[in-house]
C-alpha cells in the first residue's frame, strides 16, 4: 500500500487528511490568517508525514491572535508549541498569489 493510501488512526487516508487540513487552513475566520496559514498549508502540507500532520492539526486548534503574535515575533513562542511545524511557520513568508 502506498503512503498516500495508508490510513491514520481515525481511518482517514493521508491524501484525504491533507485535503481536509488545507481546507481548514484557508477557512479559519480571520482573513489575514486565512492567507498566511492557507498559503503555508499549500506549500508544506503535501510533504508532511502523519506525525507532522498531527502537529499541524494541533496548531490549527490554536487561536488566530496567538498564532499571529508568535509568527510576527510580538510574543515569545511557548515551549509546548515549539515544534518542527511551528518553526516552519515562523520562517514562512507569505507571498500573494498571482491574481489575488
Amino acid at each position: 500500500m502506498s503512503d498516500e493510501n495508508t490510513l491514520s488512526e481515525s481511518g482517514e487516508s493521508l491524501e484525504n487528511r491533507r485535503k481536509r487540513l488545507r481546507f481548514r487552513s484557508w477557512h479559519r475566520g480571520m482573513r489575514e490568517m486565512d492567507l498566511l496559514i492557507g498559503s503555508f498549508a499549500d506549500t508544506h502540507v503535501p510533504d508532511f508525514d502523519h506525525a507532522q500532520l498531527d502537529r499541524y492539526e494541533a496548531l490549527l486548534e490554536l487561536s488566530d491572535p496567538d498564532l499571529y503574535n508568535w509568527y510576527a515575533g510580538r510574543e515569545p513562542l511557548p515551549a509546548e508549541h515549539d515544534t518542527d511545524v511551528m518553526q516552519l511557520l515562523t520562517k514562512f513568508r507569505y507571498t500573494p498569489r498571482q491574481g489575488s
Side-chain angles (χ1 to χ4, degrees):
M1 185 183 292
S2 78
D3 192 44
E4 293 300 312
N5 294 322
T6 61
L7 301 180
S8 67
E9 290 179 15
S10 66
E12 183 177 30
S13 75
L14 190 59
E15 179 183 357
N16 285 345
R17 187 172 186 203
R18 286 177 176 149
K19 286 179 185 178
R20 178 177 54 79
L21 292 175
R22 287 179 64 204
F23 179 86
R24 280 186 62 198
S25 299
W26 279 103
H27 299 88
R28 292 187 54 84
M30 196 170 118
R31 186 62 183 150
E32 294 84 356
M33 289 304 287
D34 290 350
L35 293 169
L36 173 63
I37 301 295
S39 296
F40 173 82
D42 286 351
T43 301
H44 292 287
V45 166
D47 298 322
F48 283 173
D49 61 24
H50 284 288
Q52 287 173 308
L53 290 174
D54 289 343
R55 291 188 291 278
Y56 183 66
E57 193 160 13
L59 180 147
L60 290 179
E61 297 298 323
L62 300 171
S63 74
D64 283 345
D66 285 340
L67 282 174
Y68 186 79
N69 286 336
W70 300 330
Y71 171 79
R74 292 181 180 168
E75 294 178 9
L77 178 62
E80 66 268 19
H81 298 300
D82 192 4
T83 66
D84 58 338
V85 173
M86 189 59 147
Q87 289 299 317
L88 284 172
L89 176 62
T90 58
K91 291 177 179 128
F92 182 75
R93 295 296 168 246
Y94 168 73
T95 306
R97 295 185 295 181
Q98 193 67 276
S100 295

